[in-house]
Structure formats: structure tokens, C-alpha cells
Amino acid sequence: MVHNQVDASQIQEMDTGEKRLNELGYKQELRREMTLFKTLAISFSTMTLFTGITPLYGSSLEYGGPASLVWGWVVVSFFTWFVGLAMAEICSSFPTTGSLYFWAAHLAGPKWGPFASWCCAWLETIGLIAGIGTQAYAGSQTLQSIILLCTGTNKGGGYLAPKWLFLCMYIGLTIIWAFLNTFALEVIAFIDIISIWWQVVGGTIIVIMLPLVALTTQSASYVFTNFKLNPEQTGISSKPYAVILSFLVSQYSLYGYDAAAHLTEETRGADKNGPIAILTSIGIISVFGWAYILALTFSIQDFSYLYDQNNETAGAFVPAQILYDAFHGRYHSSTGAIILLFIIWGSFFFGGLSITTSAARVVYALSRDQGVPFSSIWRKVHPKHKVPSNAVWLCAAICILLGLPILGVNVVFTAITSICTIGWVGGYAVPIFARMVMDEKDFKRGPFYLGKASRPVCLVAFLWICYTCSVFLLPTYYPISWNTFNYAPAALSVGLGLVMLWWVLDARKWFKGPVRNIETDHSGKV
């Protein structure tokens, strides 16, 4: 359907990103006010320094000891650069809010484009909405530890929030993020600028202060070479399997850099600044993340005590216990640990806010192309603030539903994390694979172009994504029981099965992928 026509003389005065958007068949509807720094701030906040490492640090350390955890970050960072480079090249060519699914549609060609964009859109949507849940859960877990330490610790009669209160914290965070996302984008961008400084300054403080405060620190040989299985706790006695599972913290932490792509319709010079934001985010997180892991690991006082259910943090949150041991050991007070935990909690808050922003943009873009039930509701843009507020609240509502099993299931975080990672990272695979197999002459180059290196980079990126998705389907503890069962495969099978069934029975007849809303002539000019 033709909604608007743009005069060619006007395009020449446009921002380069907006001009490219028009060439792709879309008119500018969202405000293009984001600078490179603001876009980088949101991308960095979505990846976040603490939110990936902190909740999974304890389990990854337990699988294989310090060495596999520390070197796992280096290995995963290396392969993440291949994914980032592949996505940066595509982002430079297609600076649209729909990002991944838009890329998939155009790169896969007219025959496979609709199906590719359908798969990509739903994988990404599932991953992003589950991503809000991971931040809400881990944020609530950190807040639970703060409350426990503030009220006297687990040994001193402190208050450990029960499941119903934990769920209330989870819901409360989700609602706050949705409420803030109903304001103009400048508000979110301003908060995310606070976030980037919060994480850089806060991260620097933790990385430097923690080893200095700890009464004793582990040796370099312990941190970099000690590999230790813990079959009594994990039930895993296979060294290769333990190493694979110890990498999960790094694989979970090192994604989210596509947030810059979701905001390209709102970013000035998006065809250049989008790729820069993606790659810069990966670089910053790679360095700071490894430093954070090293700070925690060097500061361990007693490995076995970290997991003791009778310790000061009830054995529920290993990083909190490391912080407590360091500050209480030197100052006989938990105040320092509480302050640093608050810095970490702030990172979860900012991360959840940014992921909510990204999730809403994806739902909005898919609704704009009629790929979501009741699309007319979710694609509405707030008349004053120019943000997709209905999409924001839809994401929040689904996220709350994902968290309801907290009341009766102990492995909710494992499942939500797996769903988030497989959906989010799996969505990367579709456009990268399409870019890899397409005819080079059909690819319209953007300012960031890999040239002959494109196909090898895409191949490595695609294989790494397939591996990452596979390992998040594995059982993480043995023997397998209802309390240790990773039900992500079952949940994903049901969810994706319904999406595919909808495609086969109905959607394939009418869903054509991204829908142009600017008239073009046969030469592709607007």
C-alpha cells in the first residue's frame, strides 16, 4: 500500500541514514535525534558489564574452576568479534528499526525473504522479551542479597525475601521499565548516558577496589591454570562437558550489541554510526568484562564456602558472598559489599530499561509489517512522544507472564536465560547466513564493507551462533530431576512450533516481510 511519496530534491537534504531508509521503501516516522554517543550508550547498556557475568558467575565457576571461566571469556570474545563484524556490515547497508528481520528479508531474496524474515523476527522477539525477564530476575536476586545483608546476613537473622516477594520485585522492575519507556526517547537516551558512566566508573571501582580490600588474594596460577571439577555439586564428571558449561556465562554476556541497529531510524548518520556503536560496544565489554571476572576470581577467599547454604548470603549468590568476604574480612562490616552490590543492581536496572527499548522497537517494526496479531494496536506511535508505547506494554505483560513460575519452580532463571540467548543470538544467524550465500553483486554496500573477507567472517559467525544455541539446550546439572531440568528446549519447541504452524496454515499466504510505505519507481528511486 502507498502511504507517502518523497520528492527527490528533499532526499538530497536528508540525513544519510534517512536517505538510505527512503531508498529501502520506508518513510521517516520516528524522531532522528540520537547521536553516536547516545546510541552507543543504549547498545552498551543492553550488553551491560555486570548483568551477564554476575548471575551466572557462580555456576560457571563451579563447573570447571577458575581457569575454564577466565579463559572462556577470551575464547568467546574472539568469536564474538566475527559476529559483530558481520552484523556491522549488514547494519551499514540496512539502517532500519526492523534490523535483523528486515536484513533477513532483503538478503534472502524474493523467494525465501518472507520465510527468513518471519523466522528471524520471531526468534528476535522471543529473545528480547525473555531478555527483559533475565534482567528483572537477576535484578531481583541482587536486591534480595542487598536486603539480606542490610538486615543482618543469613547467619545474623537477616531477611531473605520469600518467593512471593521476589516475584513482586520482578514485576515491579518490569513495570518501571515500561513506564519509563513511554516517555520521549530523549529521556531513555539520557538515562542510558548515565548508565554508561555508571558502569564504566562503577566497574572501575569494583575491579580496582575488590582485590585491594580482600585480605588475601588468589595466586595467578590458581586463577589462570586451576581446573577443578565438582561432580559432588554438579553431577558432571566429564572435563569437556564441564568446560562447555563454564563458557555459558561468557556466551550469555557477549551479545546485545544489535541494540544499536534497533535504533538506526532514530540515529543521525545511522549507516556509519550504527556499525561503530556495535563494534565499540563489543570492544568495551570484552575488556571490562574480563577485568571484572579477574577481580572476582582473584578475591575468592574460600571456594567451597561460596556455595554453602549456611553462609552469610544463603549460598544463593556467589558474587555477593565474594564481596561480603572481602569487606567483612577487612573492616568487619558489610557496608562496602552493600554499596558495590547496589552498583551492580543499577547495572541490571539500566540493562532492563535498554532491553525493553529494543524489544518494543522490534515488536513495533514487525507490527508495522502486519506480522503480529492485532498489529494495528501495537504499531501505534504515541502522538506526543513519538515512541511505540503500546508495543512497550505488550512486551512488559509477556515478560511478567514468563516470571509467574517463580512461585513454584526453582530453575526459572536457567530457562529464561536459555530462551533469551537462543532466541536473541539465533536471530543473528538468519541474516548472516543469507548474507553469506547471496550473490555479491546483489549486496548494496554501505560505508562499512568487509570486501572479500565478508564470506569467511560470516561463515565463522554462523557456525559460532549454531554452537552457542546448541549448548544452551543442554542439561546443566545431573542427575536430571524436576528441580534441575532445563525446560528451555520444551518451551522453545512449543513457542516456535506454534509460530511455524501459524506460518504453514495461514501467515505464508499473506506475510511478505517488510512492507514499503513510500512509493518507488521501477528503478528503485523514491
Side-chain angles (χ1 to χ4, degrees):
M1 179 180 290
V2 176
H3 299 288
N4 190 27
Q5 185 168 2
V6 176
D7 183 75
S9 62
Q10 295 176 339
I11 296 178
Q12 295 177 357
E13 301 173 2
M14 291 178 178
D15 172 274
T16 56
E18 183 177 348
K19 182 177 180 180
R20 177 62 179 144
L21 182 69
N22 292 159
E23 291 172 356
L24 293 168
Y26 281 94
K27 65 181 178 180
Q28 184 72 39
E29 294 182 307
L30 303 175
R31 287 181 180 175
R32 191 175 290 272
E33 297 180 346
M34 304 285 284
T35 62
L36 171 60
F37 185 77
K38 290 180 179 179
T39 303
L40 174 61
I42 290 180
S43 181
F44 182 83
S45 297
T46 302
M47 293 184 73
T48 62
L49 174 59
F50 303 114
T51 58
I53 298 171
T54 307
L56 291 180
Y57 176 87
S59 59
S60 292
L61 179 67
E62 190 176 32
Y63 290 129
S68 59
L69 171 61
V70 168
W71 291 114
W73 184 269
V74 176
V75 172
V76 174
S77 296
F78 174 76
F79 286 104
T80 298
W81 276 104
F82 286 89
V83 183
L85 287 168
M87 292 180 61
E89 180 187 51
I90 301 172
C91 178
S92 183
S93 179
F94 299 103
T96 63
T97 287
S99 58
L100 299 181
Y101 100 100
F102 186 97
W103 302 349
H106 284 262
L107 293 170
K111 181 179 180 181
W112 292 102
F115 181 66
S117 62
W118 179 264
C119 294
C120 187
W122 279 102
L123 280 169
E124 189 179 16
T125 300
I126 291 170
L128 281 166
I129 294 176
I132 303 172
T134 63
Q135 302 302 296
Y137 189 101
S140 300
Q141 190 178 40
T142 307
L143 190 57
Q144 183 185 49
S145 294
I146 291 173
I147 294 171
L148 179 60
L149 293 181
C150 285
T151 54
T153 79
N154 186 49
K155 283 187 171 182
Y159 183 72
L160 182 65
K163 289 183 177 180
W164 67 266
L165 183 56
F166 192 100
L167 178 61
C168 289
M169 291 189 287
Y170 175 97
I171 294 173
L173 284 172
T174 306
I175 291 176
I176 290 171
W177 294 331
F179 179 78
L180 289 173
N181 266 283
T182 59
F183 288 101
L185 191 67
E186 311 92 80
V187 176
I188 303 299
F190 175 74
I191 293 175
D192 280 311
I193 289 174
I194 297 175
S195 168
I196 193 170
W197 290 113
W198 179 282
Q199 293 183 76
V200 170
V201 176
T204 302
I205 290 172
I206 292 175
V207 166
I208 294 175
M209 180 179 289
L210 183 56
L212 292 177
V213 169
L215 280 178
T216 61
T217 55
Q218 298 293 338
S219 65
S221 62
Y222 174 83
V223 172
F224 293 107
T225 65
N226 185 284
F227 180 83
K228 179 184 178 183
L229 293 174
N230 291 281
E232 298 83 7
Q233 285 74 38
T234 64
I236 296 168
S237 56
S238 167
K239 289 183 179 180
Y241 195 48
V243 170
I244 288 171
L245 293 180
S246 68
F247 279 26
L248 293 181
V249 63
S250 305
Q251 290 167 297
Y252 169 61
S253 304
L254 286 164
Y255 66 88
Y257 35 88
D258 60 305
H262 300 311
L263 296 166
T264 47
E265 286 188 34
E266 298 157 88
T267 303
R268 294 196 287 267
D271 51 344
K272 301 181 186 70
N273 290 334
I276 292 173
I278 289 172
L279 298 177
T280 304
S281 296
I282 295 174
I284 294 173
I285 291 293
S286 295
V287 174
F288 270 84
W290 202 47
Y292 178 47
I293 287 175
L294 290 176
L296 287 172
T297 309
F298 270 109
S299 303
I300 293 173
Q301 302 299 297
D302 183 347
F303 180 90
S304 60
Y305 188 63
L306 296 175
Y307 301 93
D308 189 343
Q309 294 185 356
N310 295 315
N311 68 18
E312 287 79 5
T313 56
F317 203 38
V318 168
Q321 187 63 40
I322 293 174
L323 293 173
Y324 176 85
D325 287 343
F327 281 90
H328 190 269
R330 183 171 294 277
Y331 302 112
H332 306 290
S333 169
S334 59
T335 302
I338 293 169
I339 292 172
L340 295 192
L341 280 173
F342 180 74
I343 292 174
I344 293 172
W345 179 84
S347 184
F348 285 114
F349 182 86
F350 292 129
L353 183 65
S354 293
I355 294 175
T356 303
T357 303
S358 293
R361 295 313 184 275
V362 172
V363 171
Y364 160 76
L366 185 56
S367 299
R368 185 173 61 179
D369 297 328
Q370 303 172 15
V372 178
F374 309 106
S375 292
S376 60
I377 297 175
W378 316 124
R379 67 170 176 252
K380 286 184 178 179
V381 176
H382 194 284
K384 179 181 178 182
H385 300 306
K386 299 297 181 182
V387 295
S389 52
N390 288 355
V392 168
W393 287 99
L394 174 64
C395 293
I398 298 173
C399 176
I400 290 171
L401 292 176
L402 283 175
L404 293 180
I406 288 172
L407 292 173
V409 181
N410 294 327
V411 291
V412 172
F413 185 71
T414 300
I416 295 179
T417 299
S418 297
I419 293 169
C420 170
T421 306
I422 293 169
W424 202 333
V425 179
Y428 297 175
V430 183
I432 289 176
F433 179 79
R435 170 71 182 99
M436 181 176 64
V437 300
M438 75 180 299
D439 194 324
E440 190 65 23
K441 67 178 179 7
D442 294 331
F443 182 71
K444 182 176 176 60
R445 304 176 184 180
F448 183 86
Y449 178 60
L450 295 175
K452 293 181 179 179
S454 181
R455 276 194 169 83
V457 168
C458 287
L459 176 60
V460 174
F462 177 74
L463 293 176
W464 177 251
I465 291 170
C466 292
Y467 167 76
T468 298
C469 292
S470 299
V471 295
F472 273 94
L473 295 172
L474 297 173
T476 53
Y477 285 95
Y478 286 89
I480 299 174
S481 65
W482 285 113
N483 287 330
T484 61
F485 177 61
N486 180 7
Y487 63 84
L492 282 168
S493 296
V494 172
L496 294 177
L498 290 174
V499 169
M500 290 299 103
L501 184 63
W502 183 16
W503 171 264
V504 171
L505 296 180
D506 182 48
R508 64 185 176 86
K509 301 173 184 176
W510 50 263
F511 184 77
K512 303 303 178 185
V515 178
R516 291 175 178 268
N517 58 12
I518 291 181
E519 182 181 4
T520 61
D521 61 28
H522 295 294
S523 66
K525 295 180 180 180
V526 222

